[in-house]
Structures are given as C-alpha cells and as structure tokens.
Amino acid sequence: MTKERYLKVKNVLIMASGNGSNFEAIVKYFIDKGLKDRVCFELLTDKKDANVIKRAQKLGVPYFYVEFENLYDFLKNRKYDLYVLAGYMRILPEKILKLAAASDDTGEGYQNKFINIHPSLLPKFKGKDAIQRVHEAGVKKTGVTVHFVTKNVDSGKIITQKEIEIGKKTLTELEEAIHKIEHKIYPEVVENLLFKKNILLLGGGGREHVLARKLVKSPFLNQLYLAKPNDGFKDLGVTIDFPTTENIGADYQMLAKKAHALNIDLLIVGPENPLFDGIVDIFTKEGIKCIGADKKWARLEGSKSFAKIFMEKNGIKTADYKVLEDIASVLKSKAKIKEALEYFKTKGKIPPVIKADGAALGKGVHLPNTFEEAESEIESFLGGKFGDASKKIVLEERLFGREISIISLWDGNTLLSFPPALDYKRLLDNDKGANTGGMGAIAPSKISAKEKKQITEYLNTLKTALIKEKADFTGIIYSGLILTKDGVYVLEYNMRFGDPETQVLLELLDISRGVDLLDIFIKMSQKRLNEIDLKFKRKKAFCLVLASSGYPENPKKGSIIANLNSAKKYGCKIYFAGVKCTANTGLHTALNKLTLSAQEAQYNFTADSKTDLITNGGRVLNIVKSGVNSKKILDDIYKTAQDIDFDGKIYRKDIGYDKQNT
C-alpha cells in the first residue's frame, strides 16, 4: 500500500436509492483493508427515506439527497474519480455520463467513470427484478455482472462476471447467494479501478505482443512497461532500457531496481531463458510479484532429466528414457552410446528420440530414422550442437499418437487450464523439415470424450504432484501431451505461455463476458486463482506464422515488409515477432491497430510500410483470426499471408487443414 498512487486521496460518489447493502459492503471493505484515509466516499440518493441513508450515518459517510431532475446541475461542478451505482434505480442520460468522461479511455468502450452492478449474467435479464425473473425462467445458471454505464439499460462494457449454479435454490436462497457475490466482487472492482496496476512485461515476440494487447485493454491497468519489446508493438507501453551483458544476474537486479522505482506491481515473464536465469527469484527479493516460475521450478523446462524424475516420482505417464552426459568420456568411448541404443533395440525396432537436456529454443529434438543415424546425432548433440544445452541428453522411447498442448495457470494451490491447442512444430507442410519454435496453431483442438477424461485425470495428477513437491510459485505450466492408444503421455514441459499457442488461446478468451487477463494475473499473484471463471468464445481460432528464409538455423534479416493493410482488409490480426523499425517514423500506433479486427480498427493506414518495418528474426509475424466457419477463416488468413510481402517469406500451407483437428 506504499505505492505512490495509493497516497493520493481518491474521491468516490456512491449512488443508491434503496437498502444500501452494496454501499455498506464497499465502505466496510476499504475500512477493513486500511484504505479509509485513501478514499473519500460520499453518498447520493434520490429518495429521502432510503435505508441507505441510515447506513451512511452509521459509517460516517457524508450524503446528499438530490432529486433526479436536479442531478445534472449537482454533478456538473463536482469531480469524482469514480461514480458507483449501487441500486440507483435511474437511467442516466448521456449528458451526465459525459461529465465523467474517462481521461484514460482505451477505445475499448470505457467512455466514462460510471460503473454499475446487476444481479444477472448480462446481457440476459436486464432491468428490474432480475433475480425473480431468472428464478421464474428456470435457467441453470445465473450470477452477477459489473459493467460500465451507458445511456441504455444495463448495456455497458462488462468488467467482470461471476457465475453460480441455481440448482434447487428457493427465490430467497438465490437472492442471498447473489447478494453474497455482489458484496465480494463489487468492492474489489472499485479498488482495482481506483488503484490501477503498473505491469512490466518482459519479452519481444509474437507471444508478448498478444499479451501486451490484452493487457492494455484492461480497465485495471495504470501503465504497461515493456522490457525488450520488438518495434512492432513497443508503442503499447513504456520501454524500460534493459541492456544485457555477460552478467545476466546483475542485469536482472538492475531491472528489478528500476521496476521498484517505477512502482511496478507485477512482472510477467514471456520467454524461458529469464526464468532459467532466476529473474523471478531476483524480483521476488525486491518485493515485486511475478507471473513466472522461480529458478528451481523452471527446471521442468530447462532440464529434461529433471522433468523425467519429477514425472517418475509422481506417477505421471511419460516415455521410457536413458540419460547420457559427460562429453569427454562418451566421445572417447562409444560404449555408452551403443549400450543406450541397445536398450532401445530390445524395446522394438524404432530408434529413440534424442533431446537436449537443456533449453534449445524448441529446436533441440531429433527423431532419427535409423539406429546409425541416432548414433551419429547423439555424438553431434554431445559434441556441442546446441552448446551447453546438449552437454547432457535424454534418449526417449518413441511414442505415437496425436500431440496437443495444454497450457495451465498455477498459483501454488490451483491449476486452471485453457482448452487444448495444436502447435505445428515442423517447418514444412505435412510435418516435414526442421523442428522449429512453431509455424502455426489452432484451438481448440478436437478431443474425444474419452481423451477429455484422460486429460482431466492427468491434470489432477499434476496438481497433486505440484502440491506434494511444494511447487510454491505463480506461473504457467505448458504440458506437451501425446494421445496414444495406451492413454495420455507427457512429452515435455514448458514453464511459460507457448508461442504460437498463446495467440490462438487468448483470441478465444471471452472479454465480452468479463474475462480480463490482468484480473486473472492479479488473482494469481494473490493465490486466488480458484475464484477465476475462464470463459471462451465458442469459435475456432487459427494462427499462421510467416517466417524468413533460413529459419530456424540462419534466418534472413533486413527485408522490407509490405502490404500490412491486408490484415485489415480480411479482418485478421497481426502480432509482430521478428521485426525492426528502420526509422522512428511514428507509424507504430497505426501498426498496433492492426491487432484489432476490421470492425474495431477505424483508422486510415495509408503510410508506406516500406520505410518502416523490416524482418529481424526467424519468425517474423503471426496472422490470427477466429470464427465459426473454419474454411472462411483459413481463406482470409491465407489471403493475408499471400498479400503481405517480404523477401524470403516462407510459411506452411497446411495449417488448419488436418481434418482430425478442424
């Protein structure tokens, strides 16, 4: 509570016409949290005999009785940081709403500082007597909605929703359950809107671009800071200068001190290497909460052998394996290699998968066709093909089946998972060519009822294992699974959002139903992930990666990127990965609007992109779109891919055309 923005006293007007239980819940919440001196509450009512007045007197809150006809004249000369409707049974005209125009309008529908709470899951059951009408309708679920206010009845942008099952509740029991939810979530929304968060996002790929885009849409964001963004999305926030040296620990300590000075509330780590290097441990010591695994648990991704031991200890099904290390002795004598390969020969005629024990940017995996090829590739790995990452290797029994990715959120107590996604790892069509970081993705990936049950059982086993092993971190766990005839097996763990799976999964996150990414991260950091209801659009999302020739080994850089307007024309979103701006031309704002749909992006993009963005990495950009008609979506994505032009452009032509997944 020592953040600077907590020191400025906030002025809040609560407007109520009746009993005032939400009014009292809000005021008591701030008193109980020790924020009484940070917020100045006032009550306004349009009814002289409203019970809320008695509550205000009891709590020592100043109140005003103002007839509705005089409301505009009363408010026009008064300024509040937030206007909270708590049972104020009036429809506010536009001229009043304009008095409280939001100075930090994001363009996402937050046109004013008026909020309201409604006892149903809007947009259903608007207006009066909602609880009774819900009960009479016999629906299975209802809940509470907090939303911004418009001149129409209960129609503003939804901030958050909380669902409950109605079951056999009587009307009285349902009313009590609804009020209990209201009294919990409304005060928290008020606090988060008054004391918005400063967020630091680390990373500069397509994954970080989509995370940044979702974060800046949050009404709870004060300022987004970026460390190592690429030029395609750096104007979404304020860049923190972050030079890297050979002493990466000292660099992270310097970044943590800068973050502390800027009153950063939360660090979100995108890529894996900072996790391996212990950035979370450093920021935690500085008193800054993090979304990301600490150094110990980052080893689930950073060391294949560590992950194998974790799975063996906790009954998680994974392929049989052998570990080879100690470069000098192995290369002097091939006996160890031959012994390991002989072990796999006894299990069948198929040579094992070869994996670098350490992180190799998603490329340290080889599937040999023969045992002779396996022997040669093992020597190459141990001889430094992937540097330190392959000084130790894991030989793994080959499994067969359909691969899927399950990305889960973890707060030390609760494991909450996204729908299954499919990542296309190989460079070329029909899963040919080199292994890459990912050339495309779709979500949700089709699974049968049996497979869904098996995945649920696996996730329950994983949660039990994490609790048993005291994995007390807040972050992401990516489970690379293979669906075999013998059930679900784990191929690998990553300890961060997948790229490009994140692009499709966050595309499906249903903001219109009050699912806010920053709110999720805030609750994760408070170990309250169990309170989150993840809701997803009933659509299919696709992502196509445009890469540069030479990827993944030696990608071509410096090529001009042209015709980005195509994204707008076909209603696709663009997320930038390996790009660089040739000059400070001021086009970033226009380019960032390309991440909105054609309907949302109301602007004229007429500048010549030839003077601005050039390729600066292997995976250059992502094209994303979602909808209910998969064929139409894919047509639009591929038309966009054909139009966008740069020298050396390569991409797969079969993303999304696998019938078993679409």
Side-chain angles (χ1 to χ4, degrees), residues 31 111 130 159 193 229 271 315 334 337 378 385 425 498 568 596:
I31 292 172
Q111 287 86 19
I159 301 171
L193 289 173
K334 296 186 178 182
I337 296 176
I378 289 170
K385 181 175 182 178
K425 286 287 188 185
K568 176 185 175 183
L596 304 177

Side-chain angles (χ1 to χ4, degrees), residues 63 116 165 362 649-650:
Y63 65 92
N116 184 42
E165 298 280 350
K649 177 182 69 175
I650 58 173

Side-chain angles (χ1 to χ4, degrees), residues 21-118:
S21 63
N22 273 317
F23 162 82
E24 183 170 320
I26 292 168
V27 176
K28 283 188 173 181
Y29 174 90
F30 280 81
I31 292 172
D32 292 344
K33 290 202 72 172
L35 292 171
K36 181 181 179 182
D37 296 332
R38 303 276 64 83
V39 182
C40 179
F41 288 107
E42 292 180 352
L43 170 69
L44 183 147
T45 183
D46 62 336
K47 294 189 181 298
K48 288 183 178 180
D49 59 349
N51 189 63
V52 68
I53 294 175
K54 295 179 181 178
R55 294 182 188 265
Q57 291 171 331
K58 180 181 177 181
L59 293 167
V61 175
Y63 65 92
F64 305 94
Y65 163 68
V66 179
E67 293 180 347
F68 185 68
E69 294 75 13
N70 301 322
L71 181 60
Y72 177 80
D73 291 331
F74 176 83
L75 290 178
K76 68 180 180 180
N77 295 318
R78 305 174 71 91
K79 296 293 181 183
Y80 296 92
D81 294 286
L82 195 64
Y83 302 75
V84 181
L85 276 61
Y88 188 74
M89 307 305 292
R90 298 282 190 170
I91 305 303
L92 298 180
E94 194 167 11
K95 68 176 184 177
I96 288 179
L97 298 176
K98 286 182 176 179
L99 290 174
S103 60
D104 58 346
D105 182 22
T106 64
E108 295 299 324
Y110 314 128
Q111 287 86 19
N112 59 64
K113 297 181 181 179
F114 280 91
I115 63 171
N116 184 42
I117 193 163
H118 186 75

Side-chain angles (χ1 to χ4, degrees), residues 115-117 144-148 157-160 185-186 189:
I115 63 171
N116 184 42
I117 193 163
V144 173
T145 303
V146 181
H147 63 97
F148 287 97
K157 188 84 173 183
I158 292 174
I159 301 171
T160 191
I185 69 172
Y186 209 16
V189 170

Side-chain angles (χ1 to χ4, degrees), residues 346-621:
T346 63
K347 297 180 72 67
K349 297 181 179 180
I350 301 170
V353 180
I354 303 166
K355 294 183 176 181
D357 185 68
L361 299 177
K363 307 177 187 73
V365 178
H366 184 80
L367 281 69
N369 294 311
T370 65
F371 280 95
E372 290 73 21
E373 180 187 343
E375 184 174 344
S376 174
E377 197 63 30
I378 289 170
E379 291 182 15
S380 176
F381 269 56
L382 292 173
K385 181 175 182 178
F386 296 102
D388 289 345
S390 60
K391 285 183 177 179
K392 178 192 290 188
I393 65 172
V394 173
L395 304 184
E396 193 172 88
E397 177 187 6
R398 188 87 62 94
L399 298 176
F400 295 92
R402 189 158 52 93
E403 295 183 26
I404 62 169
S405 307
I406 300 289
I407 293 178
S408 305
L409 310 175
W410 171 252
D411 68 354
N413 298 310
T414 300
L415 190 72
L416 189 62
S417 300
F418 286 78
L422 174 68
D423 176 22
Y424 292 77
K425 286 287 188 185
R426 294 289 182 172
L427 181 68
L428 305 176
D429 291 1
N430 301 313
D431 287 332
K432 305 294 183 182
N435 211 39
T436 74
M439 294 298 291
I442 64 175
S445 182
K446 280 186 179 179
I447 55 173
S448 67
K450 179 180 178 181
E451 290 167 338
K452 183 177 180 180
K453 181 181 178 183
Q454 291 173 339
I455 292 168
T456 300
E457 290 172 352
Y458 155 70
L459 290 171
N460 288 335
T461 303
L462 174 60
K463 177 183 175 181
T464 300
L466 292 168
I467 292 173
K468 175 187 171 185
E469 299 286 344
K470 297 181 172 56
D472 189 24
F473 67 89
T474 299
I476 315 301
I477 303 176
Y478 169 119
S479 301
L481 305 180
I482 184 166
L483 310 179
T484 77
K485 62 181 179 59
D486 297 318
V488 173
Y489 280 72
V490 177
L491 293 174
E492 65 174 353
Y493 285 117
N494 292 336
M495 300 308 287
R496 31 78 189 189
F497 281 110
D499 186 349
E501 293 98 330
T502 303
Q503 286 84 316
V504 287
L505 291 171
L506 293 189
E507 171 69 16
L508 294 177
L509 205 61
D510 199 345
I511 297 175
S512 69
R513 295 166 67 196
V515 184
D516 181 88
L517 185 62
L518 181 51
D519 184 44
I520 292 171
F521 287 153
I522 291 170
K523 285 189 169 60
M524 282 179 69
S525 70
Q526 298 169 346
K527 296 192 180 300
R528 296 168 55 202
L529 193 53
N530 62 306
E531 298 177 19
I532 290 292
D533 293 329
L534 285 180
K535 305 183 189 78
F536 300 93
K537 303 170 190 173
R538 293 183 178 179
K539 297 180 178 181
K540 199 86 170 182
F542 299 84
C543 173
L544 175 67
V545 173
L546 300 194
S548 189
S549 59
Y551 176 69
E553 297 296 336
N554 187 29
K556 180 178 181 179
K557 299 181 181 181
S559 300
I560 296 167
I561 306 171
N563 301 331
L564 287 166
N565 297 309
S566 295
K568 176 185 175 183
K569 182 167 61 175
Y570 296 113
C572 296
K573 300 177 184 178
I574 298 283
Y575 296 110
F576 294 108
V579 301
K580 185 178 181 180
C581 189
T582 58
N584 186 16
T585 61
L587 292 180
H588 291 123
T589 300
L591 287 167
N592 280 319
K593 289 182 180 178
L594 287 169
T595 60
L596 304 177
S597 69
Q599 292 74 28
E600 293 173 305
Q602 301 299 320
Y603 68 98
N604 294 317
F605 183 68
T606 57
D608 183 2
S609 61
K610 290 181 181 179
T611 63
D612 197 49
L613 285 182
I614 60 174
T615 60
N616 193 45
R619 292 187 292 179
V620 176
L621 57 84

